[in-house]
Amino acid sequence: MKELVQRILNYLLEDKKIPEELIYQLSKSTVKIVENHCTEMIPEEFWELDSFVEAYWRTESYEKSKNMILVYQMGQLLSFTNMLSMLAEKQEKENSIEDYAIQLKDKYVIFQQIDRNPGITHKELAKRAELSVSSLSQFLSKCHEHGFIQRRVMGSEKHYYLTPYGKRLYSVMSAN
């Protein structure tokens, strides 16, 4: 796939039409990678192609282009690069959940309490986790940023819930 991506990039950099056979080969390679969840097959050059395609669409270059074939091909490339980027992000998140479980093992009780008591208030959670309200706030803000918890404000109280990602993390933490 490395050579294929490099050839496509060369056509783009030279502002030439990409042969349909190359687009077809890229589509087949993309399907194979997605079906097998095998991000190891994505060459480094792919990320250069991904950046090029993204820049094309973000800068709205298609509006200035008189070459409709190029616009069409860039649309095809966008769909392939998006699929592989999303797969890579998903796998990175899956792989990092193990790392997070190790890093956050001393905060297990917080995840446990939120899992057992969905909607638990901030004050109650601090009490059960034996933490100060302020140190719990800092930790929960980080957990919210990482997508582990969801918080809802009702009146003056914050209520906490585990997101599906947070539940997976808690499950990994529980297994360890």
Side-chain angles (χ1 to χ4, degrees), residues 11-66:
Y11 278 100
L12 291 172
L13 294 172
E14 294 171 8
D15 202 26
K16 292 182 180 176
K17 178 184 178 234
I18 304 164
E20 286 300 316
E21 178 61 28
L22 296 183
I23 300 276
Y24 177 73
Q25 287 175 12
L26 184 63
S27 72
K28 297 290 280 184
S29 296
T30 300
V31 168
K32 187 176 179 181
I33 291 169
V34 171
E35 281 181 345
N36 295 315
H37 299 280
C38 191
T39 55
E40 298 83 31
M41 292 174 60
I42 301 173
E44 226 19 72
E45 291 78 7
F46 168 79
W47 301 109
E48 188 178 341
L49 176 63
D50 181 58
S51 296
F52 188 95
V53 171
E54 187 174 333
Y56 176 85
W57 290 104
R58 285 191 188 270
T59 59
E60 299 178 359
S61 297
Y62 58 92
E63 289 183 349
K64 302 169 203 135
S65 180
K66 292 179 176 45

Side-chain angles (χ1 to χ4, degrees), residues 33-160:
I33 291 169
V34 171
E35 281 181 345
N36 295 315
H37 299 280
C38 191
T39 55
E40 298 83 31
M41 292 174 60
I42 301 173
E44 226 19 72
E45 291 78 7
F46 168 79
W47 301 109
E48 188 178 341
L49 176 63
D50 181 58
S51 296
F52 188 95
V53 171
E54 187 174 333
Y56 176 85
W57 290 104
R58 285 191 188 270
T59 59
E60 299 178 359
S61 297
Y62 58 92
E63 289 183 349
K64 302 169 203 135
S65 180
K66 292 179 176 45
N67 184 348
M68 288 297 109
I69 292 172
L70 175 66
V71 174
Y72 175 73
Q73 289 185 330
M74 292 301 281
Q76 289 176 303
L77 293 174
L78 180 66
S79 64
F80 304 141
T81 57
N82 279 346
M83 280 190 272
L84 293 179
S85 294
M86 287 170 39
L87 177 64
E89 284 176 27
K90 182 180 177 192
Q91 278 198 339
E92 187 177 310
K93 218 172 188 182
E94 292 290 327
N95 294 342
S96 66
I97 205 157
E98 297 285 338
D99 295 333
Y100 282 127
I102 293 166
Q103 292 170 10
L104 302 174
K105 67 182 176 205
D106 60 326
K107 304 292 189 201
Y108 175 80
V109 70
I110 296 170
F111 289 92
Q112 181 183 53
Q113 289 302 314
I114 296 172
D115 184 66
R116 290 183 180 171
N117 307 288
I120 189 169
T121 64
H122 191 90
K123 289 178 187 173
E124 185 62 26
L125 184 55
K127 184 174 133 186
R128 291 185 185 192
E130 298 177 357
L131 294 169
S132 71
V133 172
S134 63
S135 64
L136 180 64
S137 292
Q138 292 172 1
F139 177 71
L140 291 176
S141 289
K142 289 178 186 172
C143 286
H144 181 71
E145 286 173 26
H146 288 292
F148 299 133
I149 64 162
Q150 180 179 10
R151 55 184 173 211
R152 294 189 185 135
V153 178
M154 293 179 214
S156 62
E157 285 288 341
K158 289 181 185 172
H159 298 264
Y160 297 97

